[in-house]
Amino acid sequence: MKFTTMAATVALAIGITGAQAEPVKVGMITTLSGGGAGLGIDVRDGFMLAVKQAGNPDLEVIVEDDQRKPDIAVQLADKMVQSEKVDVLTGIIWSNLAMAVVPSVTAQGKFYLSPNAGPSALAGKGCHPNYFNVAWQNDNLHEAAGAYAKETGYKNSFILAPNYPAGKDALTGYKRFYGGDLAGEIYTKLGQTDYAAELAQIRASGADSVFFFLPGGMGISFLKQYADSGIDLPVVGPAFSFDQGILQAVGDAALGVKNTSQWNKDIDNEANKAFVEAFQAEYGRLPSLYASQGYDTANLLLSAMAKADVKDADAFRAALKEADFASTRGDFKFGPNHHPIQDIYVREVIKEGDVFTNKILAAALTDHADAYAGECSM
Amino acid sequence: MSFLLLIEQVLNGLQFGIMLFLMAAGLTLIFGVMGLINLAHGSLYMIGAFCAAAVAAATGSFLLGLVAALAGAAAAGALVELVVIRRLYDKDHLDQVLATFALILIFSEGTRWVFGSFPLFLDVPDFLSGPVTLPGGIEYPLYRLALIVVGLLVALGLYLLISRTRLGIQIRAGENDREMIAALGIDIAKLYTIVFALGAALAGLAGALVGAIQSVQVGMGEPVLILAFVVIVIGGIGSIKGALVGAILVGLTDTLGGIFLPEALKLFLDPSTATSVGSSLASMAIYILMAAVLILRPAGLFGARA
């Protein structure tokens, strides 16, 4: 009797480790050099923090730099799938790179967990059972900005974004919830650093507000030049031009600007407090939303690894779909197209001591899902 | 589209062109005198911006930052010339491109290593911030006006340097016949180092000036480098005058094209298609300009040699 119990325990133990011990190899392709490096580094650092905290010996992560170039991202993905034999890919920041990589790796049976890019093409008709977006569908933060603009009573917005997939998603998203007139709509060049021409158009347009989506260095340039131009229309934008990494470079020009984000360091839950503290202790800086997305992506992966074997694709997919992890955003679940259903907040840029950061004002949209879920059949 | 808006856009194009001139002048000088294609010129632009940002942050003075940018970029230029570039003069252009491309990677990663991956803060100084009202009621940022003035002063200074000084004579002689001036007893190695440092200092100055209204970050020099090459191809390789005219042409084409192409297309397309087709065409405008110039004048507008 005792022997059988013991045997059963052993069998159970073997059974459990059998599910876990199959190592999971993760290939992270992200931007670590060039203009957009701050974003990729934050995603990587957030991801690796969660990996380190979990201390799971069965998880191996390979990190490679895509230099923000689609051709390099494709080469890296091929290498990771064919010679490194990874099970899961993640890490891509930019939508144009995601469009070049994701459809091909998911078609080869690999899982892709997106810690940032969420192009509409992958959320609607192009959705895939093995593609999970842990950040947002591209339109989401812009939809929240549109909702905020409508609520605040803006009637005549001037809107601008770079000419690439995420830029188009941005303006579409804003317009979907905003509902007012447009004083102007401009697509700028991706990577553009001088906005004098656009600012002159804004000034001449008679707009009552400005919405812009210019991630990274483009946003820094725009905000500095906006402040210097003497135009004093209210500005609203998604968090991408107001994240922790770039606020210090914008300085006073960003103070008081309203921006929308699914995450902020003051969201009140245990997971988030622990994350902000651990991130600061590990890297000596405040985390950005990108870091929180990387951290959540790793924790999602770890939660699925605890439940299923990655070689059993159906079980692993089901485990991912449950999203059974403590997100830094609080409530988090996946919609039918494997994109998040989550709250999106309006934040304001403030100065805490010497450091520029954000505080949450209110929720702009609650339990918000994306507009493309209905087009997805899987 | 009002007349005032047009004037403001012309000023914007002029300012953009003049900043491009600072980059292109150094590039064309180095190519003209030494026959060297320096892809790392954009890195010197970045070094200027980072020196300015670091010194301005430490001292609180933008002007000291500018001095630091000039000194830092010139020193980096001289060092690179002595250590690396000097070995490339008698190599063919492919070797030069490869070696200076390697320098881009080294400078980028080196800068990241020293300053981190996040953009630095560099702001317009208080005495130049905010808009001024120009005759006709145009509100225009004072800092951009200052950029135009500084750029034109530099252009004038370069003109005087090259046409009126002993160094200028040596530079012009070097452009015409390198072996001969060496044979005449001029220390050609020293001349090369000086020219390279001068070109680097101009790039550094441009980086620092532009850094105050843009973002100071790793990799900021490469997009400008491409435009600077377009400028010197249009202007004629080796010609400072060509660089000035080419830079202003590129600046105006780029700025005005970005405004008027979408507007013009709106006359016969629906607005959102016109906007996206127009902005795509506008990004191509300067390259179309370059192609047109090359068809009409294969050596560029002021090029001496093909």
Side-chain angles (χ1 to χ4, degrees):
Chain A
M1 186 66 200
K2 201 171 181 187
F3 174 73
T4 40
T5 321
M6 208 170 80
T9 317
V10 169
L12 195 66
I14 291 169
I16 291 167
T17 44
Q20 285 182 331
E22 194 70 50
V24 173
K25 205 163 178 183
V26 176
M28 176 181 281
I29 302 171
T30 196
T31 306
L32 301 174
S33 64
L39 287 69
I41 287 170
D42 269 0
V43 162
R44 180 198 63 191
D45 288 352
F47 193 95
M48 296 316 284
L49 177 66
V51 169
K52 188 181 166 195
Q53 285 176 342
N56 188 333
D58 295 331
L59 178 59
E60 185 191 342
V61 186
I62 308 164
V63 183
E64 295 274 8
D65 175 17
D66 61 31
Q67 302 168 31
R68 196 175 173 173
K69 294 182 181 133
D71 49 328
I72 294 186
V74 169
Q75 284 169 21
L76 290 171
D78 286 345
K79 190 185 94 180
M80 284 179 170
V81 170
Q82 282 157 21
S83 54
E84 305 276 1
K85 308 258 183 270
V86 299
D87 308 291
V88 178
L89 285 103
T90 184
I92 295 178
I93 302 294
W94 310 94
S95 291
N96 49 342
L97 275 66
M99 289 307 296
V101 167
V102 172
S104 125
V105 299
T106 49
Q108 295 175 69
K110 305 298 174 191
F111 286 95
Y112 185 86
L113 309 179
S114 177
N116 200 62
S120 52
L122 297 178
K125 289 200 181 69
C127 68
H128 192 282
N130 283 2
Y131 170 72
F132 288 82
N133 187 307
V134 196
W136 20 254
Q137 195 280 315
N138 279 352
D139 301 14
N140 290 163
L141 303 196
H142 316 295
E143 289 169 340
Y148 168 79
K150 184 176 187 179
E151 197 185 297
T152 318
Y154 297 150
K155 299 262 183 297
N156 197 21
S157 286
F158 195 104
I159 62 177
L160 68 159
N163 199 359
Y164 83 122
K168 297 190 172 153
D169 287 352
L171 298 192
T172 313
Y174 183 80
K175 287 189 275 189
R176 187 175 293 134
F177 277 72
Y178 157 62
D181 295 329
L182 292 178
E185 177 175 0
I186 299 186
Y187 286 109
T188 60
K189 271 172 264 178
L190 189 60
Q192 183 173 330
T193 48
D194 198 296
Y195 293 93
E198 287 75 12
L199 290 170
Q201 283 174 285
I202 291 173
R203 194 199 308 274
S205 69
D208 68 355
S209 55
V210 176
F211 166 78
F212 76 99
F213 163 60
L214 295 166
M218 293 183 274
I220 301 177
S221 302
F222 179 81
L223 281 168
K224 280 160 83 170
Q225 292 165 29
Y226 188 85
D228 202 39
S229 72
I231 304 173
D232 57 357
L233 302 173
V235 177
V236 57
F240 311 117
S241 301
F242 303 93
D243 74 77
Q244 205 59 46
I246 69 174
L247 273 182
Q248 320 314 319
V250 181
D252 287 334
L255 263 188
V257 176
K258 309 289 190 293
N259 64 94
T260 49
S261 177
Q262 85 288 3
W263 176 86
N264 197 39
K265 71 178 170 63
D266 61 359
I267 292 180
D268 193 13
N269 65 57
E270 284 308 314
N272 195 36
K273 268 184 218 149
F275 162 65
V276 173
E277 225 163 78
F279 192 92
Q280 275 183 284
E282 182 79 19
Y283 303 108
R285 64 176 197 270
L286 282 169
S288 67
L289 83 158
Y290 307 111
S292 81
Q293 291 160 195
Y295 187 78
D296 278 356
T297 305
N299 279 324
L300 169 71
L301 177 70
L302 288 158
S303 75
M305 282 171 64
K307 288 186 175 179
D309 178 357
V310 73
K311 300 292 185 247
D312 181 355
D314 290 331
F316 198 74
R317 188 180 307 119
L320 283 170
K321 174 100 205 228
E322 284 173 33
D324 187 12
F325 69 104
S327 168
T328 54
R329 290 165 246 184
D331 291 340
F332 179 96
K333 61 176 187 279
F334 282 119
N337 58 347
H338 295 176
H339 281 62
I341 296 179
Q342 59 189 345
D343 295 348
I344 299 173
Y345 306 92
V346 179
R347 316 188 295 183
E348 182 178 1
V349 179
I350 55 163
K351 200 169 184 180
E352 267 176 11
D354 285 341
V355 181
F356 292 93
T357 187
N358 286 285
K359 75 162 194 233
I360 287 189
L361 295 180
L365 296 167
T366 45
D367 284 336
H368 183 60
D370 64 274
Y372 304 97
E375 293 169 24
C376 165
S377 52
M378 63 181 172
Chain B
M1 185 74 41
S2 71
F3 182 66
L4 288 185
L5 186 61
L6 178 67
I7 299 289
E8 186 173 352
Q9 299 295 19
V10 169
L11 280 175
N12 287 334
L14 197 61
Q15 180 259 317
F16 180 41
I18 286 189
M19 285 302 108
L20 278 180
F21 166 69
L22 291 184
M23 273 293 277
L27 204 56
T28 203
L29 204 58
I30 289 167
F31 189 87
V33 177
M34 311 171 204
L36 177 93
I37 295 179
N38 179 24
L39 291 187
H41 209 63
S43 302
L44 298 164
Y45 173 88
M46 175 184 74
I47 287 173
F50 272 86
C51 287
V55 170
T59 62
S61 160
F62 182 74
L63 293 178
L64 279 181
L66 280 189
V67 173
L70 281 168
L79 186 71
V80 163
E81 201 275 342
L82 289 172
V83 176
V84 182
I85 305 285
R86 181 154 287 192
R87 293 161 222 287
L88 297 171
Y89 294 133
D90 49 359
K91 301 280 192 313
D92 65 28
H93 287 323
L94 181 63
D95 291 342
Q96 299 174 349
V97 165
L98 285 175
T100 52
F101 185 73
L103 283 175
I104 296 183
L105 301 178
I106 293 168
F107 275 123
S108 293
E109 288 313 301
T111 311
R112 186 192 314 287
W113 190 58
V114 176
F115 292 100
S117 301
F118 296 97
L120 294 194
F121 175 74
L122 176 65
D123 203 5
V124 173
D126 286 338
F127 60 91
L128 288 176
S129 70
V132 287
T133 309
L134 299 181
I138 304 169
E139 269 192 68
Y140 198 73
L142 179 58
Y143 186 74
R144 286 183 188 269
L145 281 183
L147 291 187
I148 296 178
V149 173
V150 170
L152 289 176
L153 286 178
V154 170
L156 181 69
L158 266 183
Y159 169 75
L160 292 176
L161 175 81
I162 289 184
S163 63
R164 299 288 161 84
T165 64
R166 189 165 187 83
L167 178 65
I169 295 170
Q170 291 176 353
I171 290 174
R172 277 181 290 151
E175 283 179 347
N176 285 326
D177 195 329
R178 256 175 279 172
E179 284 81 18
M180 190 56 86
I181 71 158
L184 289 173
I186 287 162
D187 186 350
I188 192 92
K190 197 169 100 193
L191 177 68
Y192 283 3
T193 311
I194 291 172
V195 169
F196 202 89
L198 175 66
L202 289 176
L205 177 67
L209 289 173
V210 168
I213 48 171
Q214 298 185 0
S215 77
V216 179
Q217 60 182 3
V218 174
M220 63 187 282
E222 275 70 60
V224 191
L225 177 77
I226 294 170
L227 291 177
F229 270 112
V230 173
V231 165
I232 65 171
V233 168
I234 289 176
I237 291 171
S239 161
I240 300 273
K241 190 162 83 179
L244 182 61
V245 174
I248 290 175
L249 267 181
V250 167
L252 288 175
T253 308
D254 193 56
T255 307
L256 297 178
I259 306 292
F260 290 115
L261 283 174
E263 292 293 325
L265 287 173
K266 273 183 196 160
L267 297 175
F268 49 90
L269 286 174
D270 70 277
S272 70
T273 324
T275 315
S276 67
V277 175
S279 16
S280 310
L281 274 180
S283 338
M284 288 183 246
I286 54 167
Y287 302 101
I288 297 171
L289 172 74
M290 177 171 80
V293 167
L294 286 181
I295 290 167
L296 297 175
R297 295 186 71 114
L301 293 176
F302 296 90
R305 313 173 271 232

